[in-house]
Amino acid sequence: MTARPARPVDTPPPGPRLPARRGVELALLFGAVLISVLGYIDVGLARQNAVPGGAARYGTGLGVLALLAHLAVRFRAPYADPLLLPIAVLLNGLGLVLIFRLDLETPGDPAAPTQLMWSAIGVALFTAVILLLRDHRTLQRYAYVSVAAALALLIVPIFFPAINGAKIWIRVAGFSFQPGEFAKVLLIVFFAAYLAANRHALAYTGREVWHMQWPTGRVLGPIVAIWLLSVGVLVLERDLGTSLLFFGVFVVLLYVATGRTGWIAVGLLLAAVGAAAVGHLEPHVHGRVHDWLHPFDGIASGRGPSQLAQSLFAFAAGGMLGTGLGEGHSYLIGFAMKSDFILATFGEELGLAGLTALFLLYALLVARGLRAGVALRDPFGRLLAVGLASLPAIQVFVIAGGVMGLIPLTGMAMPFLAQGGSSVVTNWVIVALLLRISDSARAPRPAAAETGVIARTTPGGRTPSGSRSRSGDPSSSNGRTPPAAGREDSGGAGAAP
Amino acid sequence: MIRCVRHTAAFFLVLLVALLLNAARVQVLQAGAYDDNPANRRSALARYGRPRGDILVGGNPVTGSRDSGGRLRYERTYRQGPLYAPVTGYASQLYGTSLVEHAEDGILSGTDSRLAPFPLWAELTHGRQPGGRVATTIDPAAQRAAFDGLGGKKGAVAAVEPASGRILALVSTPSYDPGALSGTGSQTTAAWRRLNRDSGRPMVDRALRQTYPPGSVFKVVTAAAALDGGQVTDIDAPTDTPDPYVLPGSSTRLTNEDEAGDCAHATLRYAFRVSCNTVFAHLGVEVGLPGMVRAAERFGFNDDGLKIPVRVARSVFDTEMDRARLALSSIGQYDTAATPLQMAVVAAAVADDGEVRPPYLVDRVLDSRGRTVATASVEPPRQAVRRTTARRLQELMTDVVTSGTGTAAALDGATVGGKTGTAQHGERGEGTPYAWFISWARAQDAARPAVAVAVVVEDAAADRADISGGGSAAPIAREVMRAALR
């Protein structure tokens, strides 16, 4: 990527006209729903030798949701990436199939209807975001509102009783949800806005220590404080998976924003120190680490196989091709089989082949998100896209690595797949935001494509419409390009509302 | 910035590769070890997740499956459970399998690779075939006759077809219903506990797994050794045996049972017919330890590896002992021990001109659709004794039935040979002795014998004087032979 020559003011760039590809999206959505319906039928045939009654109900439900989401995208984000929505529907559909399948093992406690309801709420929120949020840059203005809300959401569960050792739940009127899930998105909005506004200060000011330029405390202080606060709260609540996730996304964003490899070194160092400290001091984590290193100790000492051992048994039983939907015995995992351990059912019944396909689906989702970020011009949007895409990437790695014995187990939900309302809803919002960003990135409208908004002004303040951007960072060859290289902005029609 | 996003993407790619490699490790490389972990209940769940194949007797299943609706879903049922328990054994969710259920478990549960449509099919799909069927060699009529004959008494019967080695009957009493051990409920555990505590030890398969001192029925082996070794050339010539016989190298005087008559210097024919201890003890010493061991082992003693395919307990003839003990061993006492099946094989070898055919219980293995997957591999016969020796032994054994201690086994229209036995057991022989009878029968118009039987009755309730092979065991053998001849 090299810097392109600046264009004269007021001349809209021609820009390659990308096809909208809404038809492709619709076709893929049809395929995604079809695969899910075939999944229900397969489960039913395997278990009861009959097409299950749920097949039509869930298939129709999923199809209607997919269609609604598609219509919203078609009318309000016509240039959005055509792969994102079908991937989300397929993952959500597969998750429903697996939960429906596991419900057969717990007749008194069906989770699929609730999950479908939450999926509907998720799609409703998705639609709302697509319809109401016309430009992702609007979010930049609410950076501080976001962070306040996020911290509040993180702190509230402290006042609620712990469930299964973690104080991450709020239980109101029979409904329970994890506010930390929603906090993820809000915090990323804040991080993206703050870093977009302060990235040059972070990269080029401050003193040099150990051959590395450290930013001034004034710039770095607030964001590190917020990050430490959120991670601290999560550690307090014993939600180690999410704290690890926040840490990872934060380091990635810091690196992308400043272009400084040193942040990765610092991040890894901090992670190592933190992990060692927590692993030693916290008995809960200490147990997890021990279980990871010696998954079969419980068997030898007569306590029976641990959840991790049962999970490994499930994956092993799947082998290359899997036992087939409905024909595995992953219910032996027991508690958390529909949530944290849902991947074990996937691995057992669809095998290594299915698991590889699943991982590739997630990889495609992440790659498409990152790509939308790359195609964007404004740093906030780019950081937002990278942050949102990093969420599922790190989350999938942490939970899949955990249930398969690659890393110590931390309780987290497989995006879209696992039972959990807050998680599904949050993931739908993430996909909505990525779609909105990809629409901006791919839209031929010059305004949307070219308007870089600086947030040098306070986040939350109005960016003057049509004003010239000072730090459009057009070439983006690397983050060290001095801000002065910012190119003339075309300004214009569709900038900020 | 874009460069950094690309780096991030590359980093995520590394994470993806790590996940995939780890998945391959767990699901392929280490899958076998995880599958075999004893704490992994999947094999039990898969095993009982579908109906188990049936065991057939005379072409009809003696087993069945009941859908319990539970996790370990299909429970085994047995038709005429106590009658066939010494053949089928049990298949229990809680206590595993035994006997044919155990030996042919791969076929019955569907994991045997012979059931798969293509080689490596099972390995690739991790799937199970529907359970196959196992056809036994048991003759239902002979089995029933043996079971009814033993009645309430404690004992065992084994019957084989001499010309082939097919096992026609295996009965052990008191018996039990293996169906009581199917399932997972408290009834099952209660049944297991009750059966294990029962002083009658109903779960012991006395025909295959229990060894008894064979007593006088072992005299067939001793006579065979003496005839084969040339120690006796004329069965009607007097033997040089005093009565009582002082065991060599000791002061122990061996006597005969009262009814044995005049055993001093008796001929082999006479000694066999009335079962003289002195004559056979002396003969064994004359044959010598190597000769006796060789003769016993040719009939199948001291064989650890006999599988029919159920593992059979080892029948013992000591290979190291002094001459006094050799004398006792030669009349089936001291450490000599035999399973009823082993003694049936001895009778069969005599009946079939000295040829020993390894006994077998499983005739054919079928898949779920009834196609034969495998048939019993019949091993070539071994010549246990010379043909002429066998002919003389047949003569001796028929004498026992026509005019000796085994007249209760005589059958119209058939040539029957037999040998009675009354075996002392316990430290000094103070326990109630075991009554033995081994025999064979050939229909008058047939060229080869149809059946060889061994019966042992260990009836503790009976008066000691009444216990004799001829009185208690021979009538049972007669009914088994009658059923087999039909």
Side-chain angles (χ1 to χ4, degrees), chain A residues 23-112:
Chain A
V24 171
E25 184 181 79
L26 190 60
L28 289 174
L29 279 173
F30 180 75
V33 174
L34 186 67
I35 289 173
S36 306
V37 171
L38 291 176
Y40 287 114
I41 294 174
D42 195 9
V43 170
L45 290 178
R47 294 298 296 262
Q48 288 133 0
N49 274 322
V51 176
R57 204 165 61 241
Y58 287 100
T60 312
L62 195 66
V64 166
L65 292 181
L67 200 64
L68 283 177
H70 170 73
L71 289 176
V73 172
R74 183 175 277 265
F75 291 115
R76 287 300 176 86
Y79 294 98
D81 191 310
L83 276 181
L84 288 169
L85 183 57
I87 291 173
V89 168
L90 180 54
L91 289 172
N92 201 154
L94 288 175
L96 282 167
V97 169
L98 291 183
I99 294 167
F100 170 78
R101 178 256 170 279
L102 287 172
D103 279 350
L104 299 178
E105 313 292 348
T106 55
D109 179 26

Side-chain angles (χ1 to χ4, degrees), chain B residues 260-467:
Chain B
D262 185 12
C263 285
H265 308 291
T267 64
L268 185 62
R269 187 191 296 275
Y270 180 80
F272 197 89
R273 193 165 67 211
V274 302
S275 207
C276 295
N277 286 338
T278 49
V279 173
F280 284 91
H282 182 212
L283 266 183
V285 173
E286 281 195 348
V287 172
L289 184 63
M292 282 303 295
V293 168
R294 199 162 52 240
E297 289 184 350
R298 277 185 181 163
F299 280 108
F301 280 79
N302 294 345
D303 180 2
D304 269 330
L306 180 59
K307 284 185 178 157
I308 60 167
V310 176
R311 194 183 54 76
V312 180
R314 178 176 188 251
S315 298
V316 182
F317 188 82
D318 265 3
T319 54
E320 279 172 47
M321 48 190 163
D322 60 26
R323 298 206 303 160
R325 291 187 174 124
L326 174 61
L328 287 174
S329 293
S330 300
I331 57 168
Q333 296 291 336
Y334 184 52
D335 273 353
T336 309
T339 58
L341 178 67
Q342 173 60 54
M343 292 320 295
V345 168
V346 169
V350 169
D352 201 36
D353 293 349
E355 289 187 350
V356 166
R357 287 183 168 76
Y360 64 95
L361 182 57
V362 172
D363 199 30
R364 272 178 312 141
V365 166
L366 313 145
D367 69 11
S368 59
R369 280 168 291 183
R371 286 184 309 204
T372 299
V373 171
T375 50
S377 59
V378 180
E379 293 172 45
R382 284 177 290 119
Q383 197 71 35
V385 292
R386 282 206 295 267
R387 186 175 290 261
T388 48
T389 301
R391 290 270 161 81
R392 282 180 185 158
L393 289 170
Q394 286 169 16
E395 208 179 322
L396 294 176
M397 286 180 81
T398 42
D399 275 4
V400 170
V401 174
T402 48
S403 58
T405 50
T407 48
L411 279 173
D412 286 340
T415 307
V416 177
K419 180 72 193 83
T420 56
T422 308
Q424 311 284 333
H425 66 104
E427 196 83 348
R428 292 177 178 182
E430 77 279 14
T432 316
Y434 300 132
W436 272 95
F437 193 74
I438 65 172
S439 64
W440 47 265
R442 182 178 69 228
Q444 238 137 36
D445 48 355
R448 304 183 81 173
V451 58
V453 190
V455 177
V456 62
V457 179
E458 41 168 322
D459 200 348
D463 182 8
R464 178 172 171 158
D466 287 345
I467 294 196

Side-chain angles (χ1 to χ4, degrees), chain A residues 316-410:
Chain A
M320 291 286 277
L321 300 181
T323 57
L325 277 173
E327 303 194 55
H329 300 286
S330 52
Y331 56 80
L332 290 171
I333 295 167
F335 159 71
M337 67 183 177
K338 295 177 192 173
S339 49
D340 292 7
F341 283 94
I342 194 141
L343 196 66
T345 301
F346 203 99
E348 175 165 7
E349 307 203 337
L350 297 169
L352 181 60
L355 207 57
T356 306
L358 180 74
F359 286 152
L360 289 178
L361 269 185
Y362 281 117
L364 206 55
L365 182 73
V366 172
R368 286 289 167 155
L370 292 177
R371 187 185 159 133
V374 168
L376 263 192
R377 289 284 154 76
D378 71 303
F380 167 70
R382 187 171 285 169
L383 287 171
L384 186 61
V386 169
L388 292 175
S390 300
L391 276 180
I394 298 174
Q395 197 163 345
V396 165
F397 177 76
V398 169
I399 184 66
V403 296
M404 298 189 83
L406 184 62
I407 57 171
L409 185 64
T410 40

